[in-house]
Amino acid sequence: MSTLIRPYRPADLDDLHDICIRTGLVGRDATGHLRDPDILPVLFAAPYAEFDPGLVFVADNGRRVIGYVVCAADSAAHYAELRARWLPRYAERFPAPAGPPADLDEVFADLLHHAERMLVPEIADDYPAHLHIDLLPEGQRQGLGRRLMHTLFDALRERGVPGVHLNMSRENTDAAAFYDRIGFTELPLTEDRDDSIACLGYRLD
C-alpha cells in the first residue's frame, strides 16, 4: 500500500507523540536518554497540532502515521501563544531549572519556559514561519519528506507567507543533506548564537 500525505486529524496525535520521541535525539530515538521524553512532543509537536492544525500534514502508510511536518506561520505569535496557553498546562510537570541546565531534561524544560529564545527576530520579515519535520526510519529515503515539505509549502503560499525557517543541529548530517536537496540555505545571523545550531531558510515566493 502506498503512503498517503494527508492533513492532520486529531486521532493522529498519539502517533505524532511517538514519532517525535523516536526521532528526537538528533534524528535518533530519545527513549532512555531522558527521564521524561514527553517533553519533546510537548515542545515540538503537540502545540502545533492544537494551535494551527491546518499546517500539520502526515505520512500515513495505511496502518499508522510514520511521519509528519508541523508549522507555525507566524513564529512570534506561536511563541507568545505557547507562553500564554501552553506553558501553564505543563509548568508543574516540567519545572524550570533553578540554575543552568544540568542535563538534557533540564535543557528542554528551560526551553519550554523560555521558548521565545527560539525566535530569530532578524529573519522575521523574510522567514516568519518555522517548521519541524520527522520521519520514522521505515519512512525515510522514499521521498516522503520532500512530499510533506511541498504539501506544507503550498499551504503556506495560500496564506501569503513569504518564507519558512528551521533550526538544525549541525551533528545531523543526514538532515542537512535533505534540506540542501529541498532548497534550504543557511541564513547568516548577526547576533551571537550557538555555533552547533544552524538556521536554514526557504523562500516561498
Side-chain angles (χ1 to χ4, degrees):
M1 185 179 295
S2 62
T3 300
L4 174 69
I5 304 301
R6 61 166 175 79
Y8 167 82
R9 302 168 186 158
D12 300 326
L13 185 59
D14 286 347
D15 284 337
L16 264 63
H17 186 282
D18 177 60
I19 294 165
C20 189
I21 292 173
R22 291 173 60 191
T23 60
L25 193 66
V26 195
R28 301 186 302 276
D29 195 341
T31 305
H33 295 274
L34 295 167
R35 293 187 300 278
D36 189 347
D38 286 352
I39 184 67
L40 294 172
V42 163
L43 265 171
F44 301 121
Y48 299 85
E50 177 162 329
F51 297 166
D52 196 345
L55 291 180
V56 180
F57 300 94
V58 303
D60 184 341
N61 69 1
R63 298 179 300 277
R64 62 159 292 169
V65 168
I66 59 172
Y68 64 79
V69 63
V70 299
C71 183
D74 182 331
S75 296
H78 174 82
Y79 294 128
E81 194 168 17
L82 200 76
R83 173 170 286 279
R85 289 180 49 198
W86 198 251
L87 178 60
R89 299 187 201 177
Y90 295 100
E92 184 174 351
R93 179 175 176 182
F94 302 107
D103 57 23
L104 270 179
D105 286 84
E106 291 195 354
V107 166
F108 288 120
D110 186 61
L111 196 57
L112 175 65
H113 285 262
H114 305 285
E116 64 278 359
R117 291 175 183 167
M118 291 186 278
L119 187 65
V120 189
E122 62 203 90
I123 66 169
D125 289 340
D126 292 331
Y127 304 91
H130 74 270
L131 67 84
H132 301 285
I133 182 170
D134 290 300
L135 279 162
L136 293 177
E138 66 239 50
Q140 296 173 11
R141 296 178 174 83
Q142 300 177 35
L144 298 178
R146 180 181 293 272
R147 289 169 60 194
L148 282 166
M149 284 290 209
H150 284 288
T151 301
L152 172 65
F153 294 163
D154 288 344
L156 290 171
R157 289 188 182 100
E158 287 180 6
R159 298 192 186 191
V161 177
V164 60
H165 73 277
L166 58 88
N167 293 316
M168 180 201 71
S169 169
R170 295 188 190 277
E171 291 181 38
N172 198 341
T173 54
D174 287 344
F178 167 71
Y179 296 132
D180 183 65
R181 290 193 298 271
I182 294 292
F184 280 82
T185 57
E186 184 165 355
L187 302 176
L189 304 180
T190 56
E191 60 182 76
D192 293 335
R193 290 189 174 269
D194 184 350
D195 288 340
S196 68
I197 304 296
C199 184
L200 309 180
Y202 183 93
R203 291 290 298 178
L204 294 159
D205 47 19

